[in-house]
Amino acid sequence: MLTKRIIPCLDVHGGRTTRGQQFGKAERGELTDVGDPVELAKRYDAQGADELVFYDITASSEQRGIMAEIVAQVVEQIFMPLTVGGGIREVDDATRLIQAGAEKVSVNSAAVSHPRLIEDIARKFGRCATILGLDAKRTDAGDFRVFIHGGRTDTGRDVVEWAKEAVDRGAGEIVLNVMNADGMKTGYDLEMTRAVSEAVSVPVVASGGAGGSQHMVDVLSDGPNGGKADAALAASIFHYNELTVADVKRDLHAAGVPVRMV
């Protein structure tokens, strides 16, 4: 049986790890500094994290340069795979990060506007290195919509249909960021996560809403009411030492969820 993965996420702004809620905080200055990304990466590696995700949340040209430097520093200190996203608009952006040491790159807004970007990255680096970051929102009408530009623009596209198209174009994994739940610690959106997981043939990483181990049990469960995700991504609960990765894995193991124990 394949094990489920636990993935800490670091939102990087100006070379520091930051945290907000429900997207769009960088533009409004509503971010909390939570530490040095290199030191946090080392901490999570020691705790037994399966992977690590870095997002450049402002994604200017200068930020991508800073991010490549941070990636290079981190890969010298850790042994787990590293995914980097934010501001990847062309293959050269992805190349810069892969060359710095990232194992995977995550594309989001640019992939919606120019879907062939997924094909181009997959052709150069392989499907396993090509990740779709999908920012989604449950609307008042109850449908699941794709958003871009840091969650500011509603594309009108259906989440499940876009996920299926991205996989057809070469995405080897989907990180489903549910905006309504981001940073709220009220639990993952199980219905949306399950809908995407059942629709595609590649791993789905649930993101947005982790407040404790039970939320991860729920989203990783393959039962009829579970999220059926292959991995759970979290930030705040790890950054603020509410739980360690090892704590979560012990709880998951006790609940019968297969995980890699340290």
Side-chain angles (χ1 to χ4, degrees):
M1 181 181 294
L2 293 176
T3 58
K4 304 284 188 170
R5 291 170 287 147
I6 301 301
I7 306 175
C9 174
L10 279 66
D11 293 334
V12 180
H13 174 57
R16 299 287 294 178
T17 305
T18 59
R19 193 68 189 128
Q21 290 180 333
Q22 295 184 314
F23 289 61
K25 301 297 183 179
E27 290 80 4
R28 300 198 297 271
E30 299 174 24
L31 294 170
T32 301
D33 187 308
V34 295
D36 174 65
V38 178
E39 292 305 313
L40 286 170
K42 290 166 60 179
R43 178 203 298 176
Y44 298 140
D45 190 38
Q47 290 178 5
D50 297 294
E51 297 182 20
L52 189 66
V53 169
F54 275 15
Y55 283 129
D56 177 351
I57 60 173
T58 49
S60 67
S61 177
E62 180 184 3
Q63 281 293 108
R64 283 199 300 275
I66 292 171
M67 182 64 80
E69 293 176 6
I70 293 172
V71 168
Q73 294 173 37
V74 167
V75 296
E76 292 181 353
Q77 303 287 334
I78 66 173
F79 298 96
M80 58 184 165
L82 177 63
T83 297
V84 184
I88 298 174
R89 300 181 180 90
E90 54 188 40
V91 174
D92 285 350
D93 297 326
T95 301
R96 185 180 302 111
L97 295 169
I98 293 287
Q99 289 177 340
E103 184 165 305
K104 308 174 187 177
V105 291
S106 176
V107 293
N108 191 321
S109 299
V112 176
S113 303
H114 305 286
R116 285 199 60 180
L117 177 62
I118 299 172
E119 300 173 32
D120 293 341
I121 293 174
R123 187 178 302 113
K124 183 168 184 179
F125 298 110
R127 177 182 287 269
C128 290
T130 308
I131 312 303
L132 176 71
L134 199 168
D135 292 341
K137 186 175 183 179
R138 180 190 290 266
T139 68
D140 292 339
D143 54 348
F144 309 147
R145 296 266 272 276
V146 178
F147 280 67
I148 57 174
H149 302 140
R152 296 186 300 276
T153 303
D154 181 355
T155 68
R157 299 200 62 175
D158 177 75
V159 165
V160 173
E161 292 306 312
W162 170 229
K164 291 163 64 175
E165 179 182 340
V167 171
D168 288 342
R169 289 181 178 273
E173 185 168 270
I174 294 172
V175 178
L176 178 64
N177 308 303
V178 181
M179 296 167 53
N180 314 67
D182 178 62
M184 303 305 292
K185 301 183 183 180
T186 54
Y188 298 91
D189 189 317
L190 300 182
E191 182 184 5
M192 192 188 307
T193 305
R194 182 168 58 250
V196 174
S197 296
E198 291 178 341
V200 299
S201 58
V202 303
V204 173
V205 181
S207 174
S213 298
Q214 186 59 49
H215 291 153
M216 296 189 181
V217 171
D218 295 340
V219 82
L220 296 172
S221 170
D222 292 326
N225 297 316
K228 299 187 177 181
D230 298 273
L233 183 150
S236 298
I237 62 171
F238 295 141
H239 296 341
Y240 297 121
N241 296 309
E242 296 170 20
L243 288 169
T244 68
V245 175
D247 292 335
V248 168
K249 286 194 170 187
R250 282 192 293 269
D251 293 340
L252 291 172
H253 178 72
V257 178
V259 291
R260 179 185 66 86
M261 301 298 289
V262 179

